[in-house]
Structures are given as structure tokens and as C-alpha cells.
């Protein structure tokens, strides 16, 4: 029997906290701590919590296993349902996704469907590390079919919901992790629910990510990263702030359901498959596909089940038009699809009328996959970075390159692209979970310096020259390379197949000598880490961790000229000015007419924090792009325009 608590809908928790008196709200964090350890799972799938002798809280999840209504959480005390016990039990449970998975709709009425136009690129939905975020969001950008078609203006309800969400986010940022307890989180959840009702699913999803990040930080979970929570705050404030101004950018508004349209007849070939593991308990697999014209598609199978389902779904049957393939076979095979339904992100649907016939697979060296490895990785990354900073394709696009293994360095594997004057690249596990084979496979590859390797992976645009491989294969014509079984068709899915000794060159095979100009492993340049921008990053993360007061205290420790002098000497004057303005705003202490200190509004501080965070993200984006080009001398930092 599972010991996990049932997920709770955000609006149910927000309502329970809102009904508490001010005195009970002060006790909520202490009451919530340790609730999960006292939970008892009953035979009827309900969960009970004992608070003393007279208070018993019972959570009765619905058929989907989620508490979606207030009546599903009851307490036996006299104050129920406005009691501390009920709110504490709901707060101890994980948050449910914003919108539960819905059945795929039939394609909208359209003219006679045709296949994708040659050269048209369809990006896949976020997967893997990004898939958790996508599953939480439950939304896709709403893209107009006609670029000339005017975008409808936001309604008054949407602007009001965005303004309320901005204020709640500003309050949460000013409080920080240390003071961002259940009450602050409930205010965010209530504003997020209002945004959902107003038709702003992307804003709601951003708020839920912040709340989950605050919970992870306060509970000191091992998977928590302060940098991730900082990025979530930046996205939430940016989205809510722009929408509150009345801007109706479809990419910021989002859509609650993934719209499928008729895609006509398609022919797709498998590229690879990878496990999907979401922080909200979803697990499964996504198989990446390519059409002959280079268009990208995907077929995913993600459901509640966590790690167990992510590991087993790799061989689950493909639920598409009666196809007899499983995901393992599709990753090395293909499909001819009649009556296809396709989402804006390239996800293939399984609506009525879809028919699929298996096709023979093709190797990476042939067919539509060959162009992926034809251009330098720096060009592929530059194309991604040229788009909007929050574009979905920057998180999902797969790029390919041929590399030579240099060796392990810390928690990553160093490789060099097999091109003249190519920089060192860092390979990190696409999924660091120890029960998935990504880390073990990279560790085994690192023990073969000089190994030639064909890598297909997702660039990590938050790190310098970093690639997260999802599949690898041998390099044709190279003697010192992988030796995979013939049935693997020249590639290994790192999330499902474990590389063994027999897949590598034999011990008596000599590794090729290192080429001229090789950089020793410990001296791999990192323009992002060597840049003085870390001072701004530390200030922003200090604000997220300790709130407004922590930023003010940090600013009092040294004069601005001393703290941000290295930024100005490096030519990063805008970053220095924004950091100075943030510190000054955090330390602003207004007084009322009688000279007494008054709490300042969090809006000014939130705008100053967002300005510094946005500039930092743009500057780091430039440095990341520079790290994919020719190697930068150690200690040097490219000039940021």
C-alpha cells in the first residue's frame, strides 16, 4: 500500500487557509510540520491524521486519487471546517497539477488536411527535466494560425487576475523562503486559481512552480536548487507583470488544453526515446520522431506512477491508430500515419480515425536524422538562443554532434566536438535519478578517453557549453568507437539501455592520441563561472532565500563601489547599476506622518528585483552562447554588449 499522501487541488488548500483566523494562521506552519509522518492510510483509500484526542482529520480523494473538493477533507473538532487541523493536513499533502490530463479532443474542423510543408519545423513538447515543468503547466502556447490576425485584447477579469497574482508574488518574494510559509503560499495559490478561472493558465502554472519550490526549500529536500526557485520567481513576476499591464501576448497567456489539428498523412521515423519523470508524481516515456522533411514530432505516454512507470513505459505499446509497435520498437522504427492529429508542439494524437502502419527503421547516418549531425553544435545552439528567452523550443530541441571523450571532471564528462578548434563540452545526465541509467552510462563512457561518440542531446542553456545526452551511437569510420548490437540500429537510449563492456572497444585497442591544443581536464574554461556576474546572482538568490531584509543586510556590509567594482571594471555597468538599485530599494524605510517606520509596498522592490534578474538572465544567455564557440582562455570573460 502506498504511503504517499493524496495530492490536493491548490484552490482547496487556499480556501482552507483563508478561512483561518489571524491567530490560527500564525500556528499553521508548526501544525503542518510532521503531519505527513502521522498519516494513517485506511483500507478505503482515505488518509487520517490524529490531532490530540478529539480531532481526527480525514482526506477522501476522488476516483483520480486527488482531493478536488472541500467536502473531501473533514475534521471532527468543533471549529471544523474552519479549523487549524484541517488546514494543516491539507498543507502537508502535495499539490495537484493545475489541470488533470484530459482526453484528446477531435481535430477542429479545417479544410482538406495536408502534410507539413517542407522545411517546417515542429518542436516537441517539454520532456525529461523539462517534462516535469510541462506536466505541471498543462498548457501550450496559443499560436495564431495567421500571423497577420490581430491578437484579442485581455479582458478586465484577466488584467485584474494578473494584477492580483503580481501582488501575491511580490509579497512572496519580499518574504523569501524563510518567511514564505503556508500563509504566503496560500495567497499565491488563491491568486493562481483566480488566474486559472480568468483564462491565464501559464500564469497559474508559474505560480504553482514557485509554491512547489518554496515547499521544497523549506523542507530542505535534496532535489531543491535555489537557482531553480530564483528562475521560477523571475518567470512568475515577468508573466504576471506583463499581463497586468494589459499586454495580450499569446505566449504569456497560454491555453488550458492542448489543441490538436488535422495533420493529414505523415511518415515519421524514430530518433530515440527517453523517460519522463515529473516532480508531481507523473512518469512515462516520450519517443522523438522525425519526418523526411526534418519536421519533428513526438509520441508520449505519461501518467501517474512516478519512477516505476517511467522505467516500465519504455516498452509500453504505442497507443496510436492500432500500431503494433511498442516505444522501444518505434524509437528504432517508423510509422506511416493516415488522418494524423498534431498539436502545435508536434505531439501526435490518438484521435478517432487515426491509422498507423509500421515502417522499417533507419540509422542515424541515413534518412532524416543525418542533418542533425551535419552542422556544428554551436550553430544549432545559436539558432535556439536567437529566439525568445522563454521559448519552449529552447528547452526541448535536440541537437546532435560527434565528440571525442576527454575524461571525467567532477560531476560531468568532458568531451570535445570532433571539429577543428572546437571547445570543450560538458555532458551531464539528462535525468540524474540514481534508478535511471543515465549517470551510470556516462560514468562508463568517461573511462574510455579518446572514444569517438555520436551524441544526441538537449543543450542546457543555464550552463556553459553543457549538453544533456539522451542517446549515443558509434561514429562511422572511426575504429575507436562504440560497438553496439546490430538490432540497436546504431544507437543506445541512455535512459533505458545500460552500456556494458562488450559495447566498448576491446582492452587491446589503442586509443587515439590527443590532438594538438587539447585542454587538460581541470582547466576547462567556463566564461559563466569566471564572470563577476556571480555577485548579482548571489544578491538575487539571497533575496529569494532570506527575503527583502536579507538583501538590505547584505547591502549594508560593503560600499557599492567595493561590492560592484569588479562588475564595472569588467564593463558590466548595467548589472552593477541594477544591483545597486535593488539594494537601495530593499533598504528603503519609509516613515508615516508621525515619523514612525512603515512597511514599504513590495511592488517597488519586486520591480527592482525583476529588472536585475532579467538583465542577469540576458547576460548569462550571451555568455552561454559564447561558450559553445571556440574555447575561451581560462579566466577570460567575453564582453557582454
Amino acid at each position: 500500500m502506498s504511503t504517499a499522501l493524496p495530492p490536493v487541488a491548490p484552490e482547496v488548500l487556499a480556501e482552507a487557509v483563508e478561512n483561518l483566523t489571524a491567530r490560527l494562521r500564525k500556528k499553521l506552519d508548526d501544525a503542518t510540520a510532521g503531519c505527513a509522518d502521522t498519516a494513517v492510510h485506511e483500507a478505503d483509500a482515505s488518509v487520517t491524521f490524529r490531532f490530540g484526542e478529539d480531532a481526527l482529520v480525514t482526506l477522501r480523494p476522488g476516483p483520480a486519487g486527488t482531493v478536488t473538493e472541500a467536502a473531501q477533507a473533514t475534521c471532527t473538532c468543533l471549529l471544523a471546517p474552519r479549523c487549524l487541523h484541517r488546514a494543516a493536513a491539507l498543507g502537508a499533502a502535495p499539490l495537484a497539477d493545475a489541470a488533470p490530463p484530459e482526453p484528446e479532443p477531435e481535430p477542429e474542423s479545417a479544410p482538406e488536411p495536408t502534410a507539413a510543408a517542407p522545411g517546417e519545423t515542429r518542436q516537441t513538447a517539454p520532456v525529461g527535466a523539462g517534462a516535469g515543468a510541462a506536466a505541471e503547466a498543462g498548457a501550450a502556447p496559443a499560436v495564431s494560425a495567421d500571423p497577420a490576425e490581430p491578437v484579442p485584447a485581455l479582458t478586465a477579469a484577466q488584467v485584474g487576475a494578473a494584477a492580483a497574482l503580481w501582488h501575491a508574488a511580490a509579497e512572496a518574494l519580499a518574504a523569501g523562503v524563510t518567511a514564505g510559509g503556508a500563509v504566503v503560499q496560500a495567497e499565491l495559490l488563491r491568486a493562481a486559481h483566480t488566474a486559472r478561472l480568468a483564462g491565464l493558465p501559464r500564469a497559474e502554472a508559474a505560480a504553482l512552480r514557485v509554491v512547489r519550490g518554496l515547499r521544497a526549500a523549506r523542507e530542505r529536500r535534496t532535489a531543491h536548487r535555489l537557482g531553480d526557485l530564483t528562475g521560477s520567481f523571475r518567470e512568475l513576476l515577468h508573466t504576471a507583470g506583463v499581463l497586468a499591464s494589459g499586454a495580450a501576448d499569446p505566449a504569456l497567456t497560454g491555453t488550458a488544453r492542448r489543441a490538436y489539428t488535422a495533420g493529414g498523412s505523415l511518415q515519421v521515423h524514430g530518433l530515440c526515446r527517453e523517460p519522463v519523470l515529473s516532480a508531481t508524481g507523473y512518469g512515462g516515456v516520450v519517443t522523438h520522431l522525425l519526418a523526411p522533411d526534418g519536421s519533428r514530432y513526438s509520441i508520449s505516454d505519461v501518467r501517474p506512477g512516478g519512477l516505476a512507470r517511467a522505467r516500465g513505459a519504455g516498452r509500453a505499446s504505442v497507443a496510436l491508430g492500432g500500431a503494433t509497435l511498442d516505444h522501444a520498437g518505434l524509437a528504432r522504427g517508423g510509422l506511416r500515419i493516415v488522418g494524423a492529429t498534431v498539436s502545435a508542439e508536434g505531439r501526435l494524437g490518438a484521435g478517432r480515425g487515426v491509422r498507423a502502419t509500421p515502417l522499417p527503421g533507419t540509422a542515424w547516418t541515413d534518412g532524416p536524422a543525418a542533418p542533425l549531425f551535419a552542422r556544428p553544435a554551436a550553430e544549432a545552439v545559436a539558432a535556439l538562443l536567437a529566439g525568445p528567452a522563454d521559448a519552449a523550443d529552447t528547452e526541448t530541441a535536440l541537437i546532435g554532434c560527434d565528440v571525442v571523450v576527454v575524461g571525467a571532471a567532477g560531476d560531468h564528462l568532458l568531451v570535445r566536438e570532433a571539429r577543428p578548434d572546437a571547445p570543450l563540452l560538458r555532458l551531464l545526465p539528462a535525468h540524474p535519478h540514481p534508478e535511471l541509467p543515465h549517470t551510470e552510462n556516462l560514468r562508463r563512457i568517461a573511462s574510455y578517453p579518446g572514444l569517438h561518440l555520436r551524441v544526441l542531446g538537449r543543450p542546457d542553456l543555464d550552463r556553459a557549453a553543457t549538453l544533456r545526452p539522451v542517446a549515443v551511437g558509434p561514429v562511422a569510420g572511426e575504429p575507436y568507437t562504440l560497438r553496439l548490437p546490430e538490432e540497436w540500429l546504431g544507437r543506445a537510449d541512455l535512459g533505458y539501455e545500460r552500456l556494458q563492456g562488450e559495447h566498448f572497444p576491446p582492452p587491446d585497442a589503442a586509443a587515439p592520441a590527443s590532438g594538438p591544443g587539447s585542454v587538460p581536464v581541470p582547466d576547462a574554461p567556463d566564461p559563466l563561472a569566471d564572470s563577476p556576474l556571480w555577485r548579482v546572482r548571489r544578491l538575487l538568490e539571497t533575496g529569494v532565500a532570506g527575503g527583502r531584509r536579507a538583501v538590505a543586510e547584505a547591502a549594508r556590509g560593503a560600499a557599492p563601489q567595493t561590492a560592484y567594482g569588479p562588475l564595472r571594471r569588467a564593463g558590466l555597468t548595467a548589472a552593477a547599476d541594477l544591483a545597486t538599485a535593488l539594494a537601495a530599494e530593499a533598504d528603503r524605510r519609509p516613515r508615516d506622518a508621525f515619523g514612525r517606520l512603515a512597511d514599504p509596498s513590495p511592488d517597488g522592490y519586486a520591480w527592482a528585483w525583476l529588472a536585475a534578474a532579467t538583465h542577469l538572465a540576458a547576460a548569462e544567455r550571451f555568455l552561454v552562447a559564447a561558450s559553445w564557440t571556440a574555447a575561451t582562455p581560462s579566466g577570460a570573460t567575453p564582453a557582454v554588449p
Side-chain angles (χ1 to χ4, degrees):
M1 181 181 299
S2 173
T3 59
L5 298 181
V8 173
E11 60 271 20
V12 175
L13 174 58
E15 181 185 8
V17 176
E18 186 178 6
N19 288 336
L20 296 179
T21 63
R23 180 179 64 84
L24 293 180
R25 290 187 182 189
K26 295 179 181 180
K27 302 179 179 181
L28 182 56
D29 287 332
D30 292 336
T32 303
C35 269
D37 298 332
T38 63
V40 177
H41 292 73
E42 306 294 345
D44 59 352
S46 64
V47 181
T48 59
F49 303 81
R50 174 68 66 178
F51 293 87
E53 297 181 358
D54 301 325
L56 180 67
V57 178
T58 304
L59 302 183
R60 294 183 176 87
T66 302
V67 178
T68 57
E69 299 178 3
Q72 294 174 339
T74 59
C75 182
T76 59
C77 76
L78 296 178
L79 292 179
R82 302 173 180 271
C83 63
L84 179 64
H85 315 117
R86 181 172 173 272
L90 290 171
L95 287 178
D97 286 331
E102 301 183 37
E104 177 205 335
E106 283 297 297
E108 301 171 358
S109 58
E112 183 67 20
T114 58
E120 179 185 357
T121 300
R122 301 183 187 273
Q123 299 294 347
T124 57
V127 295
E136 293 169 15
V143 181
S144 174
D146 183 3
E149 181 181 350
V151 178
L154 293 179
T155 64
Q158 289 177 319
V159 174
L165 186 57
W166 162 267
H167 182 72
E171 292 281 3
L173 178 68
V177 172
T178 54
V183 175
V184 172
Q185 295 171 24
E187 290 298 322
L188 265 177
L189 293 178
R190 185 164 62 88
H193 182 60
T194 304
R196 178 185 180 182
L197 296 179
L200 302 175
R202 176 165 177 174
E204 180 205 15
L208 293 184
R209 283 193 290 274
V210 168
V211 173
R212 290 190 175 104
L214 287 173
R215 284 188 166 195
R218 292 178 62 85
E219 295 171 8
R220 297 177 179 173
R221 301 176 192 169
T222 55
H224 164 69
R225 291 182 64 245
L226 188 57
D228 293 340
L229 182 55
T230 302
S232 297
F233 262 112
R234 184 184 71 244
E235 180 185 358
L236 173 58
L237 290 170
H238 169 72
T239 303
V242 173
L243 292 175
S245 69
D249 186 350
L252 292 180
T253 306
T255 179
R257 293 185 63 163
R258 180 181 286 106
Y260 286 81
T261 58
S265 298
L266 297 175
Q267 180 177 320
V268 294
H269 296 274
L271 188 60
C272 66
R273 59 184 167 143
E274 63 172 321
V276 175
L277 188 59
S278 166
T280 56
Y282 284 80
V285 63
V286 61
T287 299
H288 301 278
L289 308 165
L290 279 178
D293 60 6
S295 300
R296 302 189 186 188
Y297 299 90
S298 68
I299 295 178
S300 61
D301 182 6
V302 181
R303 301 176 187 176
L307 177 64
R309 195 174 191 287
R311 296 174 63 182
R315 291 198 170 275
S317 298
V318 175
L320 182 67
T324 58
L325 290 174
D326 59 12
H327 281 272
L330 179 58
R332 294 184 174 91
L335 288 175
R336 179 178 287 109
I337 308 172
V338 178
T341 57
V342 188
S343 73
E345 306 84 27
R347 177 179 173 181
L348 296 177
R352 293 190 302 269
V354 178
R355 297 293 180 265
T357 305
L359 293 175
T362 59
W364 280 354
T365 54
D366 305 320
L372 289 176
F373 304 92
R375 63 173 176 172
E379 291 185 9
V381 173
L384 293 176
L385 292 171
D390 58 350
D393 58 352
T394 60
E395 299 179 1
T396 64
L398 298 177
I399 67 172
C401 57
D402 293 346
V403 301
V404 180
V405 175
V406 176
D411 61 344
H412 54 263
L413 168 63
L414 285 182
V415 299
R416 186 182 296 280
E417 193 175 1
R419 296 178 182 273
D421 301 324
L424 284 175
L425 305 181
R426 297 163 178 82
L427 301 187
L428 286 176
H431 301 267
H433 197 286
E435 295 297 324
L436 296 174
H438 292 88
T439 302
E440 179 184 343
N441 283 331
L442 289 186
R443 187 180 299 116
R444 186 174 288 272
I445 292 173
S447 61
Y448 289 85
L451 183 73
H452 285 256
L453 203 63
R454 175 157 285 191
V455 177
L456 182 70
R458 184 175 298 104
D460 187 340
L461 301 184
D462 292 329
R463 299 172 182 262
T466 299
L467 189 66
R468 295 185 180 271
V470 297
V472 296
V475 178
E478 292 292 343
Y480 198 73
T481 187
L482 290 177
R483 303 185 178 188
L484 301 179
E486 184 177 352
E487 60 270 18
W488 286 16
L489 210 60
R491 65 257 203 181
D493 297 328
L494 296 179
Y496 287 106
E497 285 142 353
R498 297 183 184 271
L499 297 176
Q500 306 295 334
E502 61 184 358
H503 300 145
F504 292 89
D508 55 351
S514 300
S518 296
V519 179
V521 172
D523 298 330
D526 188 344
L528 194 60
D530 296 336
S531 168
L533 287 171
W534 66 265
R535 299 172 185 273
V536 182
R537 190 184 313 112
R538 185 174 65 179
L539 183 67
L540 294 172
E541 292 180 353
T542 297
V544 171
R548 179 174 186 160
R549 292 184 179 180
V551 174
E553 290 295 334
R556 296 181 192 136
Q561 295 81 3
T562 304
Y564 305 118
L567 285 169
R568 301 185 187 279
R569 288 192 294 271
L572 302 172
T573 54
D577 292 341
L578 290 171
T580 302
L582 172 60
E585 179 62 30
D587 201 25
R588 184 170 62 87
R589 298 165 65 84
R591 296 179 180 272
D592 59 17
F594 299 99
R596 296 173 298 191
L597 289 175
D599 290 333
S601 167
D603 288 349
Y605 170 74
W607 282 117
W609 188 94
L610 179 59
T614 303
H615 181 274
L616 175 65
E620 291 183 337
R621 193 178 179 88
F622 175 84
L623 293 178
V624 168
S627 69
W628 284 87
T629 59
T632 304
S634 181
T637 300
V640 178

